[in-house]
Amino acid sequence: MNILIKSAKIIAPNQSYNQQVKDILIIDGKISKIEDHIKPEIEIKEISLDNLHVSQGWFDCSVSFGEPGFEDRETIENGLNTAALSGYTAVAVNPNTQPVADTNADIGFIKSKGADKATSLYPIAALTSLSHGVDLAELFDMKNAGAVAYGDYQKPIENPNLLKIALQYTQNFDGLVLSFPMESKVIGKGVVNEGITSTKLGLKGIPALSEELQIVRDLFILEYTGGKLHIPTISTKLSVELIKQAKDKGLDVSCSVALANLILNESELEDFDTNYKLLPPLREEADRKALVEGVKHGVIDLVTTDHNPIDVENKNVEFDHALYGTIGLEASFGLLLQEFPLEKVIKILTSGKERFAIPQEEIAVGNKANISLFNPDSSYEFSKSDILSFSKNCAYTGKQVKGKTYGIIANNRIALKSSLSK
Amino acid sequence: MSELSVNHLLGIKYIKESDIQLIFETADQFKEVINRPIKKVPSLRDITIANLFFENSTRTRLSFELAEKRLSADVVNFSAAQSSVKKGETLIDTVNNILSMKVDMVVMRHPNPGAGVFLSKHIKASIVNAGDGAHEHPTQALLDSYSIREKLGDVAGKKVVIVGDILHSRVALSNIFALQMQGAQVKVCGPKTLIPKYIHSLGVEVEMDLRKALEWCDVANMLRVQNERMDISYFPSTREYTQLFGVNKKLLDSLDKEIVIMHPGPINRGVEITSDVADSKQAIILNQVENGVAIRMAVIYLLASKIKQ
């Protein structure tokens, strides 16, 4: 596909084109020219949009698309389309499907469903068979099928010896192990952060201790075994400190934070709204601020939407019975811009690809076009009509956001919000 | 005429102090009614109330039912054990089915915190929370305060200690909110394992020592240990619990003042209080039960008058 992007401000921190307004010519999916003004010599699709900004394509390291098994919540096709129109050119998809993605064939199925789309799909494979936390799944076999990391989504590794073995075994093929930070005995039947809100609402609390205890354990094991450990979605102030100490020590550990924990705190729960029932739970404001600082200073490597569409039947119920999760892809850019300056937001959205062995394509002549398109100056209230996912469980409805995405150009394809396509 | 500031009674934290006083003044009149030879008034002849009990209850359900019948309301009872809930029906569907039969008010007990708040967003009928998990039990807190007011003249300025399983108790939470709203001081006392770590955020002090707690207070509200809500053992044995937190006559008599003993029931005699304490003149446990009917009549009457508008 041949495309000419007209007058786009390039946001590429630390690169030569940063903050410059350029025309970008894309021929057969590759960037062939970046110049002040380009006159097309052949018939070409022109993209000219209000206050258009572009950057290298964005990556989310934790999304759930339901398929196979929960297609009523979301499908891979609609999930990838949602990601594309939200500015993401790459997503790592969790194995929390039915059946769990724990074999070469499962990974192959997910990959094939995600093939030939603008947004690239990278499966995360289950670490253990059926995600039961007992026996390692065939990790190398799944790597060969396209898996980029291994983890049992939101299920903690209860057995420390299993983590030890996983971290040792994956070193033979440079695998990345995900260990969800939650000590399952300490959490008990908790459903929200243990704090003032749980006390006032009579809901069972999830102590910060349950997360921190597991992180301490995992870091000790990592120090013993070596290997590559990623801790998904930390949520407390002390967790940030623990990760920082481990990195200072030289351990090969990375971590992410969920968008919700970066933007919201536990006060949202006052009304028992199940859209705020999340795992990890929304914590205190002091935790949220520490997470923001952790992102600012690079202690936290990735920010994920932890996009998790849940059907209304599992959300519109009593709080204790509701499933955890919120969607987030559609709102992430606008929410992050409320918290960080534009260049930092772009850094956040483009970081972590290397950790998940995903190709990086900067905006440069000769590179494949892998570009996110957006307008950072449009403020509006995020509403249900902005949701593209099948499921509408959203913790951000009614929140003020700054910045709109137009879509992406990637994989020799273009995905733009329909109202913008010429 | 005065009216409540709310259309539902979902919890004490959702109402105002003026609501509490209005409920008490109305309850004064109904208490007089239920002590007449003819204990019934025709006030709610045009109102139908559904008592939806998704969790077992004997005294609260009876108390509500009596209150409703003494106001001449039509009453239907529903308990989860006999219902479609067991067949997988959702709460909203169950309640909407009942409301389709033209019910004006729902009194609901439910095992999950926030169930009443959740329901109030989805149905039009007025809701009275008769206990939702470990969240709130507002009518119990109202009748407790009403009983303190009756016994000691006023709630303001009084010192109340709540003893026992605070962690699993909706009665404790509603009492804390109600007592503080009326100007009483509240402490809690019990095994550290059964006291929420962040209870101080509600302006409540924790007293570890039962004797000190009793010496401090004017009123001790003794809660039952809710074994049915516990996922693990929070203390080694009932015997040991009683040694640390049981109130007996000897302990009461050794205090240099006469305190009031309350209990929301059902009592585990010999565990949180001994029989001689439960049956002593210091205990107002049966007055609480009697006042419960008057308070519930007042709540239902006041909410129903808003429906009639």
Side-chain angles (χ1 to χ4, degrees):
Chain A
M1 184 178 251
N2 303 325
I3 301 162
L4 178 62
I5 304 175
K6 294 293 290 178
S7 306
K9 187 182 266 191
I10 301 174
I11 307 298
N14 309 324
Q15 285 170 39
S16 56
Y17 295 119
N18 190 28
Q19 296 288 353
Q20 293 183 23
V21 178
K22 298 281 183 189
D23 288 0
I24 302 170
L25 182 65
I26 298 161
I27 304 291
D28 292 333
K30 276 193 168 177
I31 298 174
S32 74
K33 274 186 192 171
I34 303 176
E35 289 172 7
D36 289 346
H37 299 286
I38 299 173
K39 262 198 159 176
E41 288 155 12
I42 51 171
E43 194 176 322
I44 200 160
K45 182 177 176 68
E46 266 191 38
I47 294 177
S48 176
L49 296 166
D50 179 37
N51 193 32
L52 177 61
H53 287 56
V54 294
S55 76
Q56 182 193 147
W58 304 344
F59 167 54
D60 191 333
C61 67
S62 175
V63 301
S64 301
F65 286 161
E67 191 175 358
F70 303 109
E71 289 83 354
D72 49 334
R73 295 179 190 169
E74 188 58 295
T75 59
I76 289 173
E77 184 176 7
N78 191 58
L80 287 176
N81 188 47
T82 300
L85 300 184
S86 306
Y88 288 87
T89 59
V91 290
V93 182
N94 294 309
N96 54 338
T97 46
Q98 182 69 264
V100 169
D102 65 350
T103 67
N104 174 306
D106 297 324
I107 299 299
F109 171 81
I110 291 169
K111 280 292 277 188
S112 71
K113 279 279 182 174
D116 306 324
K117 303 285 190 298
T119 295
S120 301
L121 175 152
Y122 298 93
I124 295 171
L127 180 71
T128 61
S129 293
L130 302 170
S131 282
H132 281 176
V134 181
D135 300 309
L136 288 183
E138 291 183 318
L139 305 182
F140 180 65
D141 202 28
M142 291 193 286
K143 182 183 173 116
N144 288 337
V148 293
Y150 311 102
D152 297 330
Y153 181 68
Q154 294 197 338
K155 288 185 178 172
I157 302 170
E158 291 185 7
N159 177 356
N161 199 44
L162 182 70
L163 177 63
K164 179 185 140 228
I165 289 168
L167 283 168
Q168 287 172 327
Y169 181 68
T170 47
Q171 286 176 49
N172 289 95
F173 46 91
D174 200 29
L176 179 65
V177 175
L178 275 50
S179 175
F180 187 66
M182 187 174 85
E183 211 296 319
S184 52
K185 296 290 188 294
V186 175
I187 181 179
K189 290 182 178 169
V191 288
V192 296
N193 179 49
E194 182 189 62
I196 180 166
T197 307
S198 67
T199 309
K200 262 162 71 177
L201 300 185
L203 291 166
K204 290 219 174 199
I206 299 177
L209 174 71
S210 72
E211 176 173 313
E212 293 149 0
L213 204 57
Q214 191 84 345
I215 291 177
V216 168
R217 183 203 76 171
D218 289 0
L219 293 173
F220 267 111
I221 294 171
L222 179 66
E223 195 169 0
Y224 174 86
T225 54
K228 282 167 76 174
L229 177 66
H230 176 72
I231 299 183
T233 58
I234 65 169
S235 69
T236 79
K237 189 178 173 181
L238 181 57
S239 296
V240 179
E241 189 52 38
L242 290 168
I243 300 285
K244 182 175 183 306
Q245 286 169 12
K247 286 185 168 181
D248 289 347
K249 237 185 207 179
L251 296 185
D252 192 356
V253 61
S254 57
C255 71
S256 65
V257 61
L259 179 67
N261 295 92
L262 210 51
I263 302 293
L264 309 172
N265 65 33
E266 62 175 351
S267 65
E268 303 283 350
L269 287 153
E270 297 263 333
D271 213 17
F272 293 95
D273 186 341
T274 57
N275 283 321
Y276 300 104
K277 185 175 175 181
L278 306 172
L279 201 63
L282 295 176
R283 302 278 189 188
E284 291 173 22
E285 179 61 10
D287 292 309
R288 190 192 72 80
K289 283 185 174 156
L291 294 166
V292 169
E293 287 303 305
V295 170
K296 267 187 193 159
H297 297 115
V299 177
I300 298 173
D301 306 87
L302 297 108
V303 175
T304 171
T305 61
D306 210 7
H307 183 85
N308 194 358
I310 305 286
D311 47 312
V312 66
E313 288 80 7
N314 281 298
K315 274 292 191 187
N316 201 15
V317 291
E318 300 90 314
F319 197 89
D320 280 342
H321 296 166
L323 295 184
Y324 293 101
T326 176
I327 59 164
L329 285 169
E330 299 95 317
S332 62
F333 178 61
L335 288 166
L336 286 170
L337 260 183
Q338 293 281 42
E339 200 61 54
F340 303 99
L342 177 60
E343 286 196 13
K344 180 65 187 174
V345 170
I346 298 307
K347 262 194 164 167
I348 290 169
L349 290 167
T350 54
S351 65
K353 290 181 188 170
E354 200 184 336
R355 187 70 175 164
F356 281 77
I358 288 166
Q360 295 246 41
E361 297 286 354
E362 287 169 2
I363 297 180
V365 173
N367 279 0
K368 282 184 189 165
N370 186 273
I371 298 172
S372 301
L373 297 88
F374 51 93
N375 170 4
D377 300 317
S378 140
S379 290
Y380 64 104
E381 189 184 291
F382 190 83
S383 71
K384 266 203 166 155
S385 63
D386 296 305
I387 297 174
L388 304 166
S389 308
F390 285 169
S391 299
K392 309 298 176 195
N393 57 304
C394 183
Y396 313 112
T397 312
K399 299 279 181 253
Q400 202 60 32
V401 293
K402 186 178 168 240
K404 243 180 183 160
T405 54
Y406 289 130
I408 61 168
I409 297 167
N411 289 337
N412 201 13
R413 285 182 173 74
I414 179 165
L416 281 184
K417 288 182 178 164
S418 55
S419 57
L420 306 169
S421 278
K422 288 186 178 174
Chain B
M1 190 187 134
S2 297
E3 62 173 33
L4 293 176
S5 67
V6 290
N7 294 321
H8 312 281
L9 179 62
L10 302 173
I12 299 293
K13 66 172 161 294
Y14 307 109
I15 63 173
K16 298 176 177 161
E17 210 266 331
S18 55
D19 292 321
I20 295 182
Q21 294 312 326
L22 175 61
I23 292 167
F24 285 178
E25 286 157 20
T26 314
D28 285 340
Q29 295 168 34
F30 285 129
K31 187 155 181 188
E32 189 263 316
V33 168
I34 58 177
N35 281 294
R36 286 183 201 158
I38 297 171
K39 304 175 177 64
K40 207 164 173 171
V41 287
S43 315
L44 302 191
R45 275 189 307 196
D46 48 350
I47 294 284
T48 306
I49 303 174
N51 296 318
L52 311 183
F53 279 69
F54 295 91
E55 195 181 59
N56 290 336
S57 160
T58 309
R59 72 196 54 225
T60 304
R61 211 183 77 180
L62 272 178
S63 180
F64 267 108
E65 200 175 333
L66 268 179
E68 291 151 3
K69 287 183 170 164
R70 287 185 174 162
L71 289 166
S72 303
D74 290 324
V75 179
V76 288
N77 288 310
F78 165 97
S79 75
Q82 311 153 359
S83 75
S84 310
V85 173
K86 294 236 158 152
K87 299 170 194 160
E89 192 173 51
T90 66
L91 177 60
I92 296 176
D93 284 341
T94 303
V95 175
N96 272 329
N97 270 284
I98 292 164
L99 293 180
S100 302
M101 302 173 208
K102 309 298 171 203
V103 167
D104 305 293
M105 192 184 292
V106 167
V107 174
M108 183 171 78
R109 168 161 291 191
H110 199 283
N112 298 120
V117 176
F118 167 69
L119 202 60
S120 70
K121 291 181 204 160
H122 293 95
I123 68 167
K124 283 184 185 152
S126 191
I127 300 170
V128 180
N129 178 6
D132 58 335
H135 179 219
E136 287 226 34
H137 192 352
T139 56
Q140 180 69 44
L142 290 168
L143 75 89
D144 286 347
S145 285
Y146 186 78
S147 302
I148 293 171
R149 170 182 176 265
E150 187 178 69
K151 178 77 178 176
L152 300 177
D154 200 355
V155 177
K158 298 295 178 293
K159 295 171 177 171
V160 181
V161 64
I162 306 172
V163 182
D165 179 359
I166 312 298
L167 186 67
H168 299 98
S169 176
R170 51 193 171 215
V171 176
L173 205 53
S174 285
N175 258 289
I176 289 167
F177 293 137
L179 291 165
Q180 288 180 337
M181 209 182 277
Q182 295 168 87
Q185 277 180 273
V186 186
K187 284 189 182 184
V188 295
C189 177
K192 189 78 193 269
T193 49
L194 288 174
I195 292 179
K197 185 173 163 62
Y198 293 86
I199 191 85
H200 59 270
S201 63
L202 304 181
V204 172
E205 275 185 52
V206 179
E207 177 56 66
M208 293 294 175
D209 185 292
L210 179 64
R211 168 174 281 280
K212 282 188 189 161
L214 297 181
E215 278 168 354
W216 171 82
C217 74
D218 302 307
V219 178
N221 197 347
M222 308 298 297
L223 302 184
R224 183 176 65 89
V225 173
Q226 304 206 34
N227 288 313
E228 70 277 16
R229 292 190 197 281
M230 295 185 188
D231 44 357
I232 56 163
S233 276
Y234 287 83
F235 53 86
S237 67
T238 305
R239 184 169 169 273
E240 196 160 300
Y241 178 88
T242 305
Q243 284 173 5
L244 277 164
F245 300 104
V247 173
N248 55 42
K249 197 74 175 67
K250 199 175 149 195
L251 177 58
L252 270 194
D253 289 344
S254 71
L255 304 175
D256 56 9
K257 61 178 173 181
E258 194 166 283
I259 63 168
V260 177
I261 299 290
M262 300 175 72
H263 196 300
I267 306 170
N268 293 313
R269 285 177 183 253
V271 182
E272 59 269 4
I273 49 175
T274 52
S275 284
D276 47 7
V277 171
D279 302 332
S280 72
K281 64 177 176 35
Q282 283 171 262
I284 58 166
I285 298 166
L286 293 177
N287 306 63
Q288 288 174 264
V289 177
E290 181 186 341
N291 290 336
V293 177
I295 284 288
R296 287 173 179 125
M297 285 174 81
V299 166
I300 291 165
Y301 174 81
L302 290 165
L303 287 175
S305 35
K306 295 199 83 169
I307 298 172
K308 287 179 183 175
Q309 287 171 19

